[in-house]
Amino acid sequence: MAIRLIDTSTLRLTFVAERLPYAILSHTWENGSEISFQEMIAIGEDPHHPARKKSGYLKILKTCQTARSQGIPYAWVDTCCIDKTSSSELSEAINAMYHWYQDAQVCYTFLADFSSGCDLESTLPTCRWFTRGWCLQELIAPKTLLFFDAGWNSIGSKADLTSLIWQITSIDREVLVDSNLLSSVPVARRMSWAAKRETTRKEDLAYCLLGIFDINMPMLYGEGHKAFLRLQEEIIKASNDLSIFAIYKSPMRDDGYFDDQPQSYCSLFATSPSNFEDCGELVHTRTDVRWNNAFALTNKGLYFRRAEMQVDVRRGLFCLPLNCKPSGCKSAWMYLRKVGPGLYARVDAGLNTHDDGESFTEVENDVYIIREITPQVQLQLEQAEEYAIKVQSRTHSLIKALQVMQRSTSSDRWDSSRQLFLTKGEKSFGGFWKVFPNFAQNIQGSAAELPQLPSAHFYLVCGLNHSSAYSGPRAWVRLLSFKEWADLGNKFGILTNPANVEILSTKNSTAQLVFGSGLSSLLITATMQLTRSEGRPFFVLELDMKESTGTHVGTDISVG
């Protein structure tokens, strides 16, 4: 594209369409002292124009003199080579700026606060230039970069000072040497380089990073922090690098599901580069990020057609691997809570690894993650847990024993991390499980050892009925042997169909079943009870399994 350059001999601005050798200036702005495009035009027409007295004009003169001494015919300076009164030209320039610095023959970095004669290693890290957002791409992009002190004396090059610059900025040495390697660095790690940098306008925290991520997008000054959200949206359109979600926040409290304080939901995206401050040593755990599952942003949230997640039962969360890891740690995860059919919300749990001792892998299809958590959405998510049905046992862990029936229309409401059904919004609800007693694990400290049984299962069914006679739904539960289930199925067809829930429905909140035969039999008791936490009503379905006394040996009995 065409670029406006300064002729280093005449100091006049000119548009050039072809690629000509030019030098480029990188510096920090001084309010009221810089030369605008209009002032540069005026100076060319009037050699005595008062703008010549500004310190910014001296920077332009020195840039052109230095370039001319090196045989470079043109120079580019951001203050005067862009007509900032034209929003279209400004937007075009910002989108092209990284490439302008990359294509320059040399970049002169002027450090106004580096006094002549100062010690390099102690003074360079204190320079304001290293704190400015725009200067990040101006450091990385140029092939050749020379540093100058306040007196325009050369103090070294990027190539000579790579190690010192790395210590100051944490930017990979390899990237400082060859900017073509930039795309191989995790997105979160690149974000961390800007974590402590500042810009005058909020929007520029996003716009100054366009080149770092090879992204183009229109400038909308006035949108505030939304600019950074737009940047992240554009990045995920171009890359499936999951590290963009490696936002390190404060660790989550180790709460249970219905503890006194609700766990904190958080929005999907970061609000600024500072959220990535601790990602400076993040590395990919896969050779190629293109091996990651595809994802896309939709009007319902971030969509994964297929997501392989770890289920953290201890904290009641789903853990989506981000296929990257902090230095010296296990993989980073995005922690999610199921809040509806196929719908998840991010939970503020940092990047800490979960407890592998109580977790298992689960593949979920058609996963949506809510994009933004506003106070209103937060309230809705808390209400989504009303009248949930939570299955538990005082004596046994049911994690491996419960198998939700996937053919049922309610299976997408099953939250395996918390062992509960989310029933909100359902006028009539039925939940179905196969229960394998052999896979129930005795809880430490419990004396309820189960006898060895054949590899068989029974059926646990529950549901909610709504009636105008009650303020809330009434819950019921039923236990069925394999034979009972088969007989009902032969008579009525697929029992998990919504139309057949009424057939299984009872008015009882307690059910019993003797499972097995002879000495190897169990008395199964299921009890449904309504309880509340923080004013939120939910049902607890208590499943008790103990050795049968022999009263019903050889029979399978379901009551109610």
Side-chain angles (χ1 to χ4, degrees):
M1 61 171 289
I3 181 173
R4 186 183 286 114
L5 297 173
I6 307 170
D7 187 312
T8 58
S9 297
T10 65
L11 297 183
R12 288 187 175 272
L13 295 170
T14 180
F15 254 120
V16 295
E18 58 182 315
R19 179 170 294 184
L20 297 174
Y22 62 92
I24 199 164
L25 176 67
S26 177
H27 64 117
T28 54
W29 285 33
E30 298 175 35
N31 290 335
S33 299
E34 304 300 338
I35 301 297
S36 68
F37 166 73
Q38 287 74 20
E39 288 174 324
M40 193 66 179
I41 295 294
I43 291 172
E45 296 173 351
D46 177 11
H48 302 291
H49 194 279
R52 289 173 61 94
K53 297 180 181 180
K54 290 185 176 183
S55 59
Y57 188 65
L58 180 60
K59 284 191 281 189
I60 296 171
L61 286 178
K62 288 294 186 179
T63 298
C64 292
Q65 290 172 4
T66 306
R68 193 165 62 248
S69 70
Q70 295 180 346
I72 303 174
Y74 295 98
W76 188 89
V77 179
D78 56 354
T79 56
C80 65
C81 289
I82 304 172
D83 182 2
K84 298 176 184 62
T85 63
S86 168
S87 59
S88 60
E89 181 175 332
L90 178 61
S91 180
E92 186 177 7
I94 289 176
N95 276 279
M97 199 170 295
Y98 180 88
H99 298 289
W100 287 350
Y101 276 88
Q102 193 173 46
D103 294 340
Q105 190 163 323
V106 62
C107 175
Y108 304 139
T109 297
F110 175 66
L111 305 175
D113 51 356
F114 192 112
S115 301
S116 300
C118 287
D119 177 70
L120 183 66
E121 292 196 3
S122 60
T123 306
L124 192 65
T126 67
C127 289
R128 180 170 171 259
W129 186 81
F130 287 104
T131 69
R132 304 306 296 170
W134 289 106
C135 297
L136 176 61
Q137 65 176 3
E138 296 168 16
L139 168 61
I140 292 173
K143 298 176 180 67
T144 302
L145 185 148
L146 305 176
F147 288 99
F148 293 85
D149 65 18
W152 279 90
N153 303 299
S154 177
I155 57 175
S157 68
K158 179 169 69 169
D160 297 333
L161 302 174
T162 298
S163 293
L164 180 56
I165 295 170
W166 166 73
Q167 293 175 23
I168 298 169
T169 64
S170 298
I171 300 171
D172 298 30
R173 292 183 178 90
E174 295 80 6
V175 172
L176 291 171
V177 172
D178 182 3
S179 63
N180 291 319
L181 299 176
L182 194 58
S183 61
S184 66
V185 179
V187 167
R189 186 167 182 152
R190 281 180 269 173
M191 286 287 190
S192 74
W193 301 338
K196 295 182 179 180
R197 291 178 180 261
E198 300 173 348
T199 56
T200 302
R201 303 190 68 166
K202 291 180 181 179
E203 297 87 351
D204 285 337
L205 270 177
Y207 304 158
C208 73
L209 298 176
L210 295 183
I212 301 299
F213 298 102
D214 195 19
I215 293 298
N216 295 104
M217 68 184 204
M219 307 298 103
L220 299 173
Y221 282 105
E223 65 177 329
H225 73 279
K226 289 184 179 179
F228 191 67
L229 296 179
R230 278 203 301 131
L231 172 66
Q232 293 169 89
E233 291 173 3
E234 292 299 321
I235 290 172
I236 67 174
K237 289 178 184 178
S239 169
N240 65 336
D241 182 350
L242 287 162
S243 76
I244 192 171
F245 304 113
I247 306 167
Y248 195 95
K249 292 178 178 284
S250 58
M252 187 190 66
R253 299 179 306 276
D254 186 12
D255 294 339
Y257 167 50
F258 286 116
D259 278 3
D260 291 338
Q261 297 296 324
Q263 295 180 351
S264 177
Y265 295 107
C266 62
S267 295
L268 181 63
F269 291 114
T271 55
S272 80
S274 62
N275 293 136
F276 296 93
E277 183 176 346
D278 294 316
C279 296
E281 297 183 356
L282 207 71
V283 296
H284 291 305
T285 55
R286 287 185 169 179
T287 306
D288 192 334
V289 296
R290 288 173 293 188
W291 295 354
N292 294 337
N293 290 330
F295 54 89
L297 197 61
T298 72
N299 56 7
K300 187 175 179 178
L302 188 72
Y303 172 68
F304 289 83
R305 187 183 67 80
R306 181 182 184 276
E308 185 175 297
M309 297 187 283
Q310 288 288 308
V311 181
D312 187 338
V313 178
R314 184 177 65 86
R315 292 193 287 181
L317 299 173
F318 290 85
C319 311
L320 180 69
L322 299 178
N323 299 331
C324 59
K325 65 176 184 178
S327 178
C329 299
K330 296 181 181 180
S331 293
W333 308 83
M334 175 160 59
Y335 291 90
L336 306 170
R337 168 145 293 155
K338 193 164 189 176
V339 293
L343 188 63
Y344 296 77
R346 185 168 193 171
V347 173
D348 182 359
L351 296 178
N352 299 320
T353 54
H354 60 87
D355 183 0
D356 292 327
E358 280 192 283
S359 68
F360 56 92
T361 302
E362 186 168 280
V363 176
E364 296 284 330
N365 294 320
D366 296 324
V367 168
Y368 290 88
I369 304 172
I370 296 173
R371 180 182 181 276
E372 185 177 8
I373 304 296
T374 62
Q376 182 180 5
V377 172
Q378 173 82 20
L379 179 61
Q380 291 172 343
L381 294 181
E382 292 172 3
Q383 293 174 344
E385 297 170 356
E386 290 181 354
Y387 297 111
I389 299 174
K390 181 175 176 61
V391 187
Q392 66 182 36
S393 172
R394 293 186 178 88
T395 56
H396 294 87
S397 170
L398 303 175
I399 296 169
K400 297 179 180 180
L402 283 177
Q403 182 183 101
V404 69
M405 297 184 67
Q406 295 299 325
R407 289 185 302 171
S408 65
T409 55
S410 60
S411 63
D412 60 355
R413 289 180 169 271
W414 173 245
D415 181 350
S416 56
S417 71
R418 295 181 287 174
Q419 301 286 285
L420 60 83
F421 269 119
L422 296 164
T423 69
K424 184 75 171 180
E426 291 287 332
K427 292 183 178 179
S428 178
F429 177 82
F432 306 85
W433 299 269
K434 291 180 181 179
V435 184
F436 297 82
N438 272 0
F439 296 136
Q441 296 177 317
N442 196 56
I443 295 176
Q444 188 175 6
S446 170
E449 290 288 348
L450 298 180
Q452 290 298 312
L453 298 170
S455 296
H457 63 271
F458 61 89
Y459 292 86
L460 172 63
V461 184
C462 70
L464 299 180
N465 289 326
H466 290 263
S467 170
S468 57
Y470 303 100
S471 59
R474 308 287 288 181
W476 56 267
V477 63
R478 187 169 181 179
L479 294 167
L480 297 101
S481 68
F482 180 86
K483 183 178 183 303
E484 286 177 308
W485 182 270
D487 290 343
L488 287 172
N490 291 332
K491 184 176 181 180
F492 298 105
I494 299 174
L495 297 178
T496 54
N497 282 345
N500 286 332
V501 171
E502 198 67 32
I503 297 169
L504 297 170
S505 174
T506 75
K507 295 182 178 180
N508 298 321
S509 58
T510 300
Q512 282 190 330
L513 171 72
V514 173
F515 179 77
S517 61
L519 297 177
S520 298
S521 60
L522 295 176
L523 176 62
I524 314 295
T525 303
T527 305
M528 186 81 79
Q529 184 176 4
L530 178 66
T531 187
R532 291 179 179 270
S533 177
E534 291 290 309
R536 278 199 315 272
F538 64 98
F539 292 99
V540 172
L541 201 174
E542 186 76 32
L543 194 63
D544 180 61
M545 295 185 288
K546 61 185 178 181
E547 191 171 359
S548 174
T549 59
T551 305
H552 304 289
V553 171
T555 62
D556 287 325
I557 300 172
S558 63
V559 179

